[in-house]
Amino acid sequence: MPDANDPDSTHLGSGDSDRPESGNSVDGIRPAADRFSIEGYPSLAELDAIDMAEMARKSRDHDLNPAGDPGPPPNALRQALGLLWVAALAALISVVYGFVRLSAVTDALRNRLEQGVASDPNNAAPVDRIDSLSHRFPSLMLVATVVLMAISYSLLVAIGKYHSRNCRNFYAAVVVVTLLCIPVGIDLLFGYPQMSVLIRVVGWVQFGALLASMLCTFRRGVNRWLPESERIRVKQVLRPGDRLR
């Protein structure tokens, strides 16, 4: 026990009392963890703890399923594929009928464009381009139908094969484009008295089957089976420490 009358012991005692505690500021300089904490934002230590917890969770999930096998595709994807086959069959019937009656479709479209010029010349097609439009547009529409259906099939198969949410999103985008084109094609190619009414019904069957197929890929079972979408967390992008550097 130090003697109170001993100057050396008094000096040592005062030195121990003047020693700063861990975590307190020294000469007005705050610790790094406190310097980078801003009111309303988590500190660096809190962000590191969140990252460590996320890494531990992913590691635990990998240990439970080391092969990363998501399991067999859900029934909704098989239903979507079946509906796509229905739409593809309807599209095939429309394309075959369109090419068989291509001459009649071309003449009907030319007459329609000429009537448009006569009734509303300001909003009609140019007169010198009526022949080229009536000859090229039907063939392009029919070929585009085949191409869009082939792309849709490839993307839908890729969803189950590669377990890809991006393929599902691309599939939905291609289907939406196809759905927008179908009513236009029905009207411009087959919307004439000399065309069979059944071919227009087939076109709407294709429309309904495609729409149902796309909706099947967004069912809850498919969303759970697909990997989680990568979202950018704002608290990781705007880290307080990075903003003050």
Side-chain angles (χ1 to χ4, degrees):
M1 177 176 181
D3 188 357
N5 297 325
D6 188 354
D8 295 336
S9 61
T10 303
H11 178 71
L12 293 174
S14 62
D16 294 337
S17 61
D18 294 339
R19 183 177 302 160
E21 297 181 358
S22 176
N24 295 334
S25 60
V26 179
D27 296 334
I29 301 176
R30 298 165 59 193
D34 293 334
R35 289 202 310 270
F36 294 136
S37 63
I38 300 177
E39 184 177 358
Y41 290 91
S43 63
L44 290 177
E46 293 172 342
L47 290 175
D48 292 338
I50 294 173
D51 294 340
M52 293 298 294
E54 183 70 14
M55 293 173 60
R57 184 187 66 80
K58 291 182 178 180
S59 177
R60 184 168 58 254
D61 294 342
H62 180 73
D63 292 339
L64 293 176
N65 189 12
D69 184 11
N75 291 330
L77 279 183
R78 288 190 285 270
Q79 295 173 2
L81 184 59
L83 290 168
L84 184 62
W85 277 114
V86 174
L89 179 61
L92 179 62
I93 295 174
S94 298
V95 170
V96 172
Y97 182 87
F99 278 113
V100 170
R101 299 294 306 274
L102 185 60
S103 178
V105 171
T106 300
D107 294 338
L109 182 59
R110 183 189 301 109
N111 294 333
R112 186 172 186 175
L113 293 176
E114 291 175 351
Q115 292 175 3
V117 172
S119 61
D120 190 4
N122 294 327
N123 296 321
V127 178
D128 56 344
R129 297 187 60 186
I130 289 179
D131 289 337
S132 61
L133 287 175
S134 60
H135 280 86
R136 295 179 182 178
F137 184 79
S139 300
L140 291 177
M141 285 290 294
L142 295 173
V143 172
T145 301
V146 177
V147 172
L148 289 174
M149 293 304 301
I151 295 174
S152 300
Y153 175 78
S154 301
L155 290 172
L156 184 56
V157 172
I159 296 173
K161 183 177 181 180
Y162 299 107
H163 188 228
S164 172
R165 183 177 291 268
N166 290 332
C167 289
R168 194 273 303 273
N169 296 336
F170 285 124
Y171 173 72
V174 173
V175 169
V176 168
V177 173
T178 308
L179 293 177
L180 294 175
C181 295
I182 289 176
V184 178
I186 293 175
D187 181 54
L188 293 180
L189 301 183
F190 308 126
Y192 309 104
Q194 60 269 35
M195 299 297 166
S196 174
V197 178
L198 293 178
I199 198 63
R200 293 195 287 271
V201 175
V202 170
W204 287 113
V205 169
Q206 179 190 0
F207 184 94
L210 267 180
L211 179 60
S213 176
M214 181 187 69
L215 293 178
C216 284
T217 62
F218 284 91
R219 293 177 62 179
R220 181 179 301 177
V222 178
N223 287 327
R224 291 180 177 177
W225 180 76
L226 291 174
E228 296 182 0
S229 58
E230 296 293 335
R231 295 184 178 90
I232 300 177
R233 293 191 296 180
V234 178
K235 62 184 179 181
Q236 288 185 344
V237 176
L238 300 177
R239 301 186 70 152
D242 295 337
R243 293 177 61 188
L244 296 179
R245 288 178 184 173

